Amino acid sequence: MIHKFPVHVYYEDTDLAGIVYYANYLKFIERARTEWVRDLGVDQVKLKEDEGVVFAVRRVEADYLTPARFDDELVVETALEAMTGVRIVLTQEVKRGEDLLFSAQVTLVALTPTGHPARLPAVLRRNLH
């Protein structure tokens, strides 16, 4: 299942030429991942408080293909690629219409407050199968 998250490009997202600054794509996909997890029924604040589990980005492999510009309407598509007991691998794409602008493979891990691996929350595992 592909999760879709709309993004509107504001002036603050761009450089002087009106092109989206490269680091802002990472912000866009971070917001989309937050909404993806929320839509899977996981309250990350409650998860941290009740179970002491947080998510961290372990790895990002990113490809910048075509620039987005000021006032563009974009969509971030998030799809599960793989999952283990403590790790999730996602593909995230930023599109303008049918045009692929940015693509990333993101590895997330579940961690305890001390930084040790933690089991992925049951609600997340259940809702991803």
Side-chain angles (χ1 to χ4, degrees):
M1 176 200 286
I2 296 176
H3 181 270
K4 296 185 179 195
F5 176 75
V7 174
H8 189 96
V9 177
Y10 294 98
Y11 187 73
E12 70 179 342
D13 298 320
T14 66
D15 61 16
L16 291 174
I19 295 172
V20 172
Y21 182 64
Y22 79 95
N24 287 334
Y25 290 95
L26 299 176
K27 287 183 359 182
F28 298 161
I29 66 173
E30 179 72 34
R31 292 176 193 158
R33 281 194 312 276
T34 298
E35 294 304 321
W36 176 74
V37 170
R38 181 177 286 124
D39 288 350
L40 287 168
V42 178
D43 179 335
Q44 292 187 69
V45 173
K46 188 168 173 34
L47 181 66
K48 181 180 177 185
E49 290 172 355
D50 294 351
E51 299 181 39
V53 175
V54 296
F55 296 108
V57 173
R58 169 73 173 90
R59 184 170 192 272
V60 175
E61 183 177 336
D63 287 314
Y64 300 88
L65 305 168
T66 303
R69 299 184 181 280
F70 170 68
D71 216 25
D72 278 352
E73 296 287 342
L74 309 176
V75 173
V76 180
E77 295 183 355
T78 303
L80 178 68
E81 290 295 317
M83 182 175 60
T84 68
V86 299
R87 183 181 317 219
I88 298 171
V89 179
L90 301 170
T91 296
Q92 292 192 277
E93 297 180 337
V94 177
K95 295 181 176 181
R96 180 179 50 228
E98 295 299 315
D99 296 331
L100 179 60
L101 309 180
F102 172 88
S103 178
Q105 186 174 65
V106 181
T107 302
L108 302 173
V109 293
L111 298 174
T112 66
T114 58
H116 291 90
R119 189 131 176 90
L120 290 172
V123 64
L124 184 63
R125 289 192 319 265
R126 185 173 50 250
N127 290 341
L128 284 173
H129 285 278

